[in-house]
Amino acid sequence: MAKTAIPSTAAELEDMISDRSKVEQLMNDGDFPEVIKAYAKTIVEKDTDLKAQIIEQTQMGLADMLGDGTVTNEIKRINREALNSVGSGARSALYNKKALGARLDGTFDNIGDVVRANWHQVSKLTDREELLSKAAKANEIVNSYGSNVPADGGFLIPEQLRSEILSLSLETSVVRPRAMVLPMESLSIVIPTIDETSHASNVYGGVTAYWTEEAASLTESQASFGKIKLEAEKLTAYAEYPNELFQDASAFGGFLSQTLPQAVSWFEDDAFINGNGVGQPLGFLNAEAAVSVAKESGQAAGTILWENIVKAYSRMLPTSHGSAVWIASHDTFPELATMALNVGTGGSAVWLNNGVQGPPMTILGRPVIFTEKTSQLGSAGDINFVDLSYYLIGDRQSMQVAVSDTFKFQNDKTAVRVIERVTGRPWIQSPMTARNGSASTLSPFVKIAAR
């Protein structure tokens, strides 16, 4: 690069750009881009506030891209190799260096260590000195992080392990990997939303565009805003373990690392789907914004017709056709596999064409996810077409573990309790009336009615 002094202030940059001959020389030498990059680097390194603003704006830009569908969620599974380090893969999206448990990172190797260090008979373990040292360090940092009830207490799980638990739980979760997850630094947060119920005459709850003559007066319009309050609820996982299991560090750690993520994801998922919103998340099946597709005339009980599927697809918000998924009960499979498109007196299967290959696991180009957490076959919500980017999850980003030796003393067992604070609810509050005035409203949450 040419021996050009790198500007260190906006004034120096202006002086350099004002010197036409200098700029032309830099351009001819191909050094102009390098000088500008060097200037930007110098300014960012000197101005930490500017650096923070750049990072914030970049994150906001990425969030906008994700929110409007510019970036689609094509990754359906977690790369387990990416979980080997905190700063990579799915864990980096869940890890928060400002979370309460981040102060304990590096203290414990796994969740089993956390529980064993808190065990009443830890002094009898072969690795007791190491565990007691870790427990002492943890106790220096936190005594009780119960958010509502001080008696909640317990050991705070390190953020590194908490994020790993949730990363692994994404493997079995239906809602969390596809929803919008918001970190909560307090027990409640307020999320702004557009108060929009119809596109019949405007968009965004009141914005209208007009074709206007030159110099004519403009007609005023504005958006209508609302808010959604997320309040963290307490999810408690409880289990009892034989005291002998605590003696084997590797076996106990491995067992907890497998069972805990599955338990957390199971009950979270169930609430995000079916929750009634009272002391628990509001599931999308119970959302006010959900629309229901009526059964066909004369349709037999417990059946699924191709017409049900087509009409459910037609009720999805058009902007969500590329991101919505089918979420269906496992016992809907026989009906889906045998549903047919009738043509005159004939017809043919529309999902499975032969018994050689496995099912395509897509319907009308969108993925099908089978679960036992939705309604059973024939009940409302046994098969749903949903865009879960319209579902908000508020994550308090703290997890606690407590161990009791008294409750199951007579059985030589130790009770382990894990507490997480999380909530969830749909982002929009009502179905949408289409621009063409159709009687069939639109929604990102579509379910087939009881049959």
Side-chain angles (χ1 to χ4, degrees):
M1 190 174 78
K3 296 181 179 179
T4 301
I6 304 301
S8 59
T9 66
E12 291 180 6
L13 177 65
E14 184 178 357
D15 289 341
M16 185 192 78
I17 295 177
S18 300
D19 189 338
R20 181 173 180 177
S21 61
K22 184 179 293 186
V23 172
E24 288 180 348
Q25 183 62 45
L26 288 172
M27 294 290 287
N28 291 334
D29 295 340
D31 291 334
F32 188 76
E34 296 302 322
V35 172
I36 298 300
K37 288 180 182 178
Y39 165 76
K41 182 179 179 181
T42 300
I43 294 299
V44 169
E45 289 176 348
K46 289 173 58 178
D47 191 338
T48 56
D49 289 339
L50 177 61
K51 183 177 181 180
Q53 291 177 30
I54 292 173
I55 293 173
E56 180 182 358
Q57 292 300 317
T58 301
Q59 291 173 340
M60 291 174 64
L62 288 173
D64 289 342
M65 292 171 67
L66 291 169
D68 65 13
T70 304
V71 179
T72 57
N73 179 18
E74 297 296 337
I75 300 176
K76 303 304 179 186
R77 293 185 59 81
I78 300 300
N79 180 359
R80 290 187 180 274
E81 293 181 358
L83 300 177
N84 292 330
S85 62
V86 172
S88 63
R91 189 193 296 178
S92 63
L94 296 167
Y95 181 84
N96 181 7
K97 65 181 180 181
K98 295 183 179 180
L100 298 176
R103 299 173 66 186
L104 291 174
D105 284 350
T107 306
F108 299 95
D109 295 332
N110 54 55
I111 185 63
D113 267 2
V114 179
V115 174
R116 293 173 74 246
N118 203 19
W119 189 39
H120 66 289
Q121 298 186 44
V122 63
S123 60
K124 297 181 180 181
L125 300 176
T126 56
D127 54 347
R128 56 186 176 275
E129 292 184 3
E130 180 183 359
L131 291 174
L132 288 171
S133 175
K134 292 178 177 180
K137 180 180 178 181
N139 281 325
E140 289 177 3
I141 297 174
V142 58
N143 178 37
S144 172
Y145 273 110
S147 300
N148 281 336
V149 184
D152 281 352
F155 267 38
L156 186 67
I157 295 178
E159 174 65 6
Q160 179 178 347
L161 299 181
R162 186 198 71 88
S163 59
E164 181 173 329
I165 287 171
L166 294 181
S167 295
L168 293 172
S169 75
L170 294 183
E171 291 284 333
T172 55
S173 293
V174 173
V175 180
R176 184 181 272 270
R178 300 168 178 85
M180 181 177 292
V181 182
L182 304 172
M184 299 176 66
E185 296 184 357
S186 60
L187 280 176
S188 64
I189 56 173
V190 176
I191 306 300
T193 182
I194 298 294
D195 187 9
E196 186 177 29
T197 60
S198 174
H199 285 167
S201 59
N202 56 60
V203 294
Y204 301 123
V207 176
T208 305
Y210 300 91
W211 297 101
T212 307
E213 296 289 341
E214 290 290 339
S217 60
L218 303 181
T219 303
E220 180 182 352
S221 67
Q222 62 182 13
S224 178
F225 297 93
K227 62 182 180 180
I228 295 176
K229 188 175 183 179
L230 296 178
E231 297 190 24
E233 308 291 353
K234 183 168 72 173
L235 175 62
T236 304
Y238 172 85
E240 300 163 5
Y241 300 99
N243 286 329
E244 291 81 2
L245 189 58
F246 283 77
Q247 306 287 340
D248 191 331
S250 58
F252 188 62
F255 181 75
L256 274 187
S257 296
Q258 286 283 28
T259 58
L260 186 58
Q262 293 176 9
V264 169
S265 67
W266 175 272
F267 290 103
E268 268 193 358
D269 228 25
D270 183 65
F272 295 155
I273 295 172
N274 300 296
N276 60 18
V278 180
Q280 60 183 278
L282 177 63
F284 66 76
L285 286 182
N286 296 317
E288 294 180 3
V291 298
S292 184
V293 175
K295 68 177 183 179
E296 295 297 293
S297 176
Q299 183 174 350
T303 60
I304 298 175
L305 302 180
W306 178 241
E307 288 80 359
N308 302 143
I309 300 297
V310 171
K311 289 182 178 179
Y313 189 92
S314 72
R315 300 292 296 277
M316 175 58 59
L317 287 173
T319 54
S320 293
H321 281 149
S323 53
V325 297
W326 299 93
I327 300 177
S329 171
H330 64 284
D331 56 6
T332 63
F333 179 80
E335 286 295 312
L336 292 174
T338 56
M339 64 181 176
L341 173 62
N342 297 320
V343 181
T345 58
S348 63
V350 293
W351 200 45
L352 294 182
N353 294 317
N354 60 60
V356 178
Q357 297 177 334
M361 301 307 289
T362 62
I363 296 176
L364 294 174
R366 300 309 306 156
V368 181
I369 302 167
F370 288 107
T371 175
E372 57 183 291
K373 299 166 192 155
T374 60
S375 309
Q376 63 181 344
L377 176 64
S379 301
D382 58 346
I383 182 167
N384 312 273
F385 193 39
V386 298
D387 179 3
L388 291 173
S389 67
Y390 282 87
Y391 191 86
L392 301 176
I393 294 177
D395 194 337
R396 188 69 176 87
Q397 296 190 307
S398 66
M399 195 176 287
Q400 303 157 262
V401 60
V403 179
S404 172
D405 61 312
T406 57
F407 182 59
K408 286 292 180 177
F409 178 79
Q410 71 276 18
N411 300 105
D412 196 28
K413 290 183 178 181
T414 295
V416 178
R417 181 191 67 190
V418 174
I419 297 177
E420 179 193 33
R421 293 195 180 276
V422 68
T423 191
R425 64 177 49 249
W427 199 347
I428 66 172
Q429 304 303 301
S430 64
M432 188 77 60
T433 300
R435 173 73 176 96
N436 60 14
S438 170
S440 298
T441 53
L442 305 173
S443 172
F445 308 107
V446 184
K447 57 185 177 181
I448 297 179
R451 302 168 303 289

